[in-house]
Amino acid sequence: MKKINIAYWVITAIFGAFMLFSAIPDILLVPEAVTMVTGLGYPKYIIPFLGVAKALGVVAILIPSFNRIKEWAYAGLFFDLIGAAYSIISKEGFQPQITFMVLPIAFLFLSHYLWHQKKETV
């Protein structure tokens, strides 16, 4: 159980940090974030909303007791990552750099899996 707990927190912290570091530029409307998102065809007003939603999702997966909200947060973060990958592929075609998206998606699934394993052992 201790190994599962440690693995869960390490993977979740790494995943949370990745998502938080991608949310902060959106919340602050950093010019590079605006250029990237509007370049994909999305309106500028959606950028802070997505950033705040990602940040709240990170908070939800890091707070130990919010099980139902945590499920929704994992789903929302999954849709954010898949939507971003799909948008980039649709707009620019498949580029080798897009394979980087496999890493945060894998961390998301691993964090979710370990969370359920951790709950079952308690």
Side-chain angles (χ1 to χ4, degrees), residues 10-30:
V10 168
I11 295 297
T12 303
I14 293 169
F15 174 68
F18 173 81
M19 293 306 290
L20 193 59
F21 289 141
S22 71
I24 292 170
D26 293 348
I27 294 169
L28 299 176
L29 285 173
V30 173

Side-chain angles (χ1 to χ4, degrees), residues 11-12 15 19 61 73-79 81 102-114:
I11 295 297
T12 303
F15 174 68
M19 293 306 290
I61 66 170
Y74 276 117
L77 294 170
F78 170 77
F79 289 124
L81 290 170
V102 170
L103 193 61
I105 293 169
F107 272 73
L108 176 130
F109 278 111
L110 189 55
S111 172
H112 187 262
Y113 172 77
L114 289 170

Side-chain angles (χ1 to χ4, degrees), residues 31-72:
E32 291 84 12
V34 173
T35 302
M36 185 182 82
V37 175
T38 56
L40 293 172
Y42 295 105
K44 184 178 176 181
Y45 64 80
I46 198 76
I47 301 169
F49 171 78
L50 292 174
V52 170
K54 280 192 267 188
L56 290 174
V58 169
V59 169
I61 66 170
L62 292 176
I63 295 176
S65 61
F66 293 150
N67 291 338
R68 187 168 304 218
I69 293 173
K70 193 176 297 237
E71 286 287 351
W72 281 90

